[in-house]
Amino acid sequence: MTQVITPETLILLPGDFCILVFKALDVDFPDQARVEIGAQTSSWMNIGWEHEGQRHAISMIGTVPSVPFEVMCADGQFAQIGPARSMTPDIKKLAEAVRFSGGPLGDVFQLLRATIDELANSEMTEVLMRFLDLTAEHSGFVEIAALPETGGLFLQGWSNPEIAQDYTLLTGTGEVSAACAGFAREDLIAPASGFCLYARNHPETFLKTKSVFLWRNNDLRRLDVLPELPEPMRAETANDHVRMMLPRLSAKPSVMAQFKRVCRPRFRGQDTLSAYDGPVAVGLDRVLQAEGGLFVTGWMLDPLAQIDLALIKSTSNLYAPIWPDAHSLHRPDLLEAFAQDPRFAGLLDPSETRNGFLCFVPAASAKVSNSEVYLELVLQDGQCLFLPITPRKCRDLGAAHAVLNAVPRHDPALNSILARHVAPFLVGLTAKASESRSQMIPMGEPYEPGQRDVAALMSMSKPEDLKPVFASLSNTAEAHQIELIVIIDDTLDPQVVSTLQDQFLFHGLTGGVVSCAKHMSQAARLDVAVGVTKAEHILLWGPQALPQTTGWLDLLRQEAACLPAPGLVSPLLSYEDGSIHFGGQRMAGRPAQAISQLAGFNRTNRDTLHKVEVSAGAHELALIDRDLLIEVGGIAGRLLGDKYTHHGLGARLRQHNAAAWCTPQVEFWMLPDQATPQQSGASSFIDNVDAAIISHLSVPQKAIVTL
């Protein structure tokens, strides 16, 4: 049988909301629910509490109930809510009900605040302030107000009892944290005392309020503002007043630290660090700016540990502590450089060489550009030292060498340095513009640019590498569809170009040769080739992959045309013995070493009917629309090496709501793996950098999709 419960009072609120007041309950209402009231569905929010052995509750409903309704209780049973014994629009009834039954004032306040957020109603704000006025304990008066240079609101007055804690400052439009400290006053009798309050983030409406409400652990207090409150002190005058009060204040260290921050000296545009005569020296070797932050390297000598805080700040509210996020670097050269400096005489420990540092400082461009940026050192004695900084703006990855030169490549924490400091900076740089000053040397029969709509891009180290590919294209339909662009080192013998011309003519191929600087990555060279063709589609082709059948290009284009959205598609790659080289792979976080999860399995283990979405296409062969490739930042993107080129390209495709796919409808042979020279330390380092960049850019993988 459904239990019928009668509310004591129904309190009408603006916007058709209402509150039901219950007492002496023997059921436990849900905190949140949806209830059916006649033909309407309404929200239900409830706060319940125990007082003197009885259960009380208040429930807010999004409509005024015109008929009884049911709500499911915590025990799974339904209770019917009948008509209230009384109805009123006066919030005083709610205040009395909560106060007299020991209710949680703070929780009720938050419930009313949630209604304001939903309604954006000024009448509801007045109701809320009226509730605070009726329920808060009057504890004192505000006699002085100030607006320090550091921002925030400073209030001073007296209270009974003392307030010297962290509080939340309440208004009808929001809540902000406030630090409160007490001080002795001869005109007051204990437990009354003076107080100072500082709220760093305050709305301007606080200056127009008649009362200040403080909330802590369900303790709600009201401080009335004197009607004759003087005009608030501002800027340096306000700072001087707080500085004068500081020695008199008493509170826990974390609270006092907030008042001390108000009193700190302000940056006036001058270098005060260089003139400091104590044993502190700091230098910044590089401060580079990219979209999203700064890359900072430097050193710091502080043998007596006088520095409490080291900050990168700006006049546009950048606030970035260097420690503890910075990574320490060995700088033994500093010990010798400062050995004769009288400030450090006998203070430098010859075994302590980790005096350098590097760090990434997250910083929105608006907080750095057109602002004064500076280093601020806060010393233990309260002094502040300043050093103006001029960040050097970096636009593209041409600035990468300046970052990488600062990274200790044999540091055990190398991967952490790359992930926390290097990658976040490098991803804020744009992909380096391709060096397209090289012109394509035409090969084969003459043709008009744009006449072929597929450009096959292929890197070559020696002409012999291309013989199998040329042979596979000879006298085929693909030979008449493809513009074949071969990319060579600009250091190769000019005779190589003549040899290639002969090969193009012999096999009936059309295209050209592009020469690129030897230091460029393969991916960067491919981007140069993309820039010299007008073809609509780009085929990235490695000479170690050979088609198994004719008509493969038409099939691959058909598969690309059937994708749910524009993307990249690669064929299945396998060896003569049937083992798979590439059959689709997935990646989470740091790129894996294996080219494919199916590498080494027999092709019979692979679904041969459906194409599958993969995290990265095959290095050896992939087809993509030229416009999409340019939109996502080219082939190299923000990567510096070649090992993870397709991992990076796959990540950027996903960021542009595209994807990479593998189709078994087209299959290529893989030539036996060639012996590769041992990777140099520099190449390994670049691979680690690229892996960190991809991990930083990667988005969570979606569930596997087949078509």
Side-chain angles (χ1 to χ4, degrees), residues 199-211:
R200 185 176 180 185
N201 303 303
H202 75 95
E204 288 296 328
T205 52
F206 277 17
L207 296 176
K208 302 175 183 178
T209 187
K210 294 180 180 179
S211 299

Side-chain angles (χ1 to χ4, degrees), residues 632-688:
V632 301
I635 299 164
R638 294 181 175 90
L639 301 189
L640 306 175
D642 291 313
K643 185 172 185 177
Y644 300 124
T645 295
H646 277 268
H647 292 290
L649 179 54
R652 285 181 281 120
L653 285 169
R654 291 190 294 276
Q655 289 178 335
H656 286 74
N657 297 316
W661 298 78
C662 175
T663 174
Q665 297 296 325
V666 182
E667 190 166 355
F668 269 56
W669 295 119
M670 278 296 297
L671 295 179
D673 294 335
Q674 302 294 318
T676 56
Q678 188 173 5
Q679 190 176 36
S680 69
S683 297
S684 177
F685 173 68
I686 293 299
D687 290 342
N688 285 333

Side-chain angles (χ1 to χ4, degrees), residues 415-679:
N415 287 337
S416 174
I417 295 171
L418 297 178
R420 295 172 54 211
H421 303 293
V422 175
F425 181 79
L426 294 183
V427 298
L429 301 173
T430 59
K432 190 175 180 181
S434 28
E435 299 180 16
S436 55
R437 286 170 288 184
S438 298
Q439 299 295 315
M440 184 169 69
I441 304 169
M443 293 280 128
E445 296 296 331
Y447 71 103
E448 291 295 325
Q451 189 175 353
R452 306 285 175 96
D453 63 352
V454 177
L457 314 183
M458 190 173 296
S459 288
M460 181 206 81
S461 57
K462 56 185 185 297
E464 291 77 13
D465 295 341
L466 303 187
K467 285 183 177 181
V469 173
F470 284 179
S472 72
L473 289 174
S474 188
N475 298 316
T476 63
E478 286 78 14
H480 299 287
Q481 296 173 291
I482 286 175
E483 175 189 35
L484 180 60
I485 301 176
V486 178
I487 306 159
I488 64 173
D489 286 351
D490 58 6
T491 58
L492 289 179
D493 190 316
Q495 184 60 39
V496 169
V497 176
S498 298
T499 302
L500 287 173
Q501 173 71 324
D502 293 340
Q503 293 291 321
F504 267 76
L505 291 172
F506 180 80
H507 293 286
L509 304 177
T510 295
V513 170
V514 174
S515 65
C516 294
K518 189 173 183 178
H519 71 270
M520 295 174 65
S521 68
Q522 293 293 336
R525 297 181 189 194
L526 290 169
D527 280 326
V528 171
V530 171
V532 301
T533 180
K534 297 185 182 299
E536 295 179 16
H537 311 285
I538 301 297
L539 183 68
L540 307 175
W541 192 353
Q544 62 273 50
L546 300 176
Q548 292 192 12
T549 60
T550 58
W552 59 267
L553 182 57
D554 287 336
L555 273 174
L556 197 60
R557 293 181 66 175
Q558 288 173 19
E559 290 292 289
C562 294
L563 295 178
L568 175 149
V569 62
S570 289
L572 184 68
L573 302 175
S574 60
Y575 295 99
E576 278 190 298
D577 63 1
S579 60
I580 292 174
H581 174 77
F582 178 85
Q585 65 175 5
R586 304 192 64 75
M587 176 185 71
R590 191 176 180 84
Q593 295 294 328
I595 296 175
S596 169
Q597 286 182 334
L598 300 176
F601 283 89
N602 192 280
R603 65 179 309 283
T604 56
N605 296 99
R606 173 68 166 86
D607 180 355
T608 57
L609 297 176
H610 302 98
K611 53 181 167 286
V612 60
E613 184 181 346
V614 294
S615 63
H619 286 262
E620 295 79 13
L621 201 126
L623 180 68
I624 185 172
D625 288 350
R626 183 177 186 272
D627 289 344
L628 175 61
L629 183 60
I630 293 172
E631 180 186 344
V632 301
I635 299 164
R638 294 181 175 90
L639 301 189
L640 306 175
D642 291 313
K643 185 172 185 177
Y644 300 124
T645 295
H646 277 268
H647 292 290
L649 179 54
R652 285 181 281 120
L653 285 169
R654 291 190 294 276
Q655 289 178 335
H656 286 74
N657 297 316
W661 298 78
C662 175
T663 174
Q665 297 296 325
V666 182
E667 190 166 355
F668 269 56
W669 295 119
M670 278 296 297
L671 295 179
D673 294 335
Q674 302 294 318
T676 56
Q678 188 173 5
Q679 190 176 36

Side-chain angles (χ1 to χ4, degrees), residues 175-478:
E175 306 90 47
V176 297
S177 298
C180 297
F183 66 94
R185 281 179 51 165
E186 294 180 356
D187 60 330
L188 298 175
I189 300 174
S193 70
F195 75 84
C196 288
L197 176 152
Y198 178 66
R200 185 176 180 185
N201 303 303
H202 75 95
E204 288 296 328
T205 52
F206 277 17
L207 296 176
K208 302 175 183 178
T209 187
K210 294 180 180 179
S211 299
V212 172
F213 297 95
L214 299 177
W215 174 38
R216 176 184 172 84
N217 297 335
N218 232 26
D219 175 23
L220 187 58
R221 300 193 183 194
R222 185 181 86 241
L223 301 172
D224 291 337
V225 179
L226 291 180
E228 63 275 14
L229 183 74
E231 184 69 19
M233 293 178 282
R234 297 177 182 271
E236 189 60 31
T237 303
N239 285 29
D240 289 342
H241 178 79
V242 179
R243 192 175 294 114
M244 178 192 70
M245 292 299 301
L246 197 59
R248 301 176 59 188
L249 299 183
S250 174
K252 63 182 181 179
S254 61
V255 170
M256 291 301 298
Q258 298 189 55
F259 289 99
K260 290 178 181 178
R261 189 177 297 121
V262 176
C263 304
R264 286 181 192 160
R266 302 281 287 167
F267 177 64
R268 306 294 180 189
Q270 283 95 34
D271 173 7
T272 60
L273 172 61
S274 299
Y276 183 63
D277 59 1
V280 169
V282 178
L284 299 179
D285 301 321
R286 52 172 71 74
V287 181
L288 306 177
Q289 180 189 355
E291 187 68 31
L294 307 173
F295 182 78
V296 182
T297 67
W299 50 270
M300 188 176 298
L301 287 178
D302 180 26
L304 298 183
Q306 291 182 273
I307 300 174
D308 266 352
L309 277 175
L311 308 159
I312 302 289
K313 299 176 71 175
S314 79
T315 51
S316 295
N317 294 322
L318 172 63
Y319 182 94
I322 292 177
W323 305 105
D325 290 336
H327 182 79
S328 298
L329 303 175
H330 285 286
R331 287 293 302 271
D333 58 306
L334 296 173
L335 298 178
E336 182 179 351
F338 284 87
Q340 305 304 317
D341 190 320
R343 295 177 298 168
F344 297 94
L347 297 179
L348 296 178
D349 181 352
S351 65
E352 181 51 69
T353 61
R354 295 184 72 90
N355 297 308
F357 67 88
L358 64 77
C359 65
F360 172 71
V361 176
S365 295
K367 293 190 174 185
V368 178
S369 301
N370 303 317
S371 303
E372 291 185 87
V373 183
Y374 56 95
L375 172 72
E376 178 177 331
L377 302 180
V378 182
L379 306 187
Q380 285 185 339
D381 61 6
Q383 292 189 75
C384 288
L385 306 176
F386 302 101
L387 179 67
I389 299 172
T390 304
R392 180 160 298 186
K393 290 186 179 180
C394 304
R395 295 197 310 178
D396 62 32
L397 282 170
H401 72 279
V403 175
L404 301 184
N405 285 345
V407 177
R409 304 191 180 192
H410 301 291
D411 194 307
L414 176 61
N415 287 337
S416 174
I417 295 171
L418 297 178
R420 295 172 54 211
H421 303 293
V422 175
F425 181 79
L426 294 183
V427 298
L429 301 173
T430 59
K432 190 175 180 181
S434 28
E435 299 180 16
S436 55
R437 286 170 288 184
S438 298
Q439 299 295 315
M440 184 169 69
I441 304 169
M443 293 280 128
E445 296 296 331
Y447 71 103
E448 291 295 325
Q451 189 175 353
R452 306 285 175 96
D453 63 352
V454 177
L457 314 183
M458 190 173 296
S459 288
M460 181 206 81
S461 57
K462 56 185 185 297
E464 291 77 13
D465 295 341
L466 303 187
K467 285 183 177 181
V469 173
F470 284 179
S472 72
L473 289 174
S474 188
N475 298 316
T476 63
E478 286 78 14

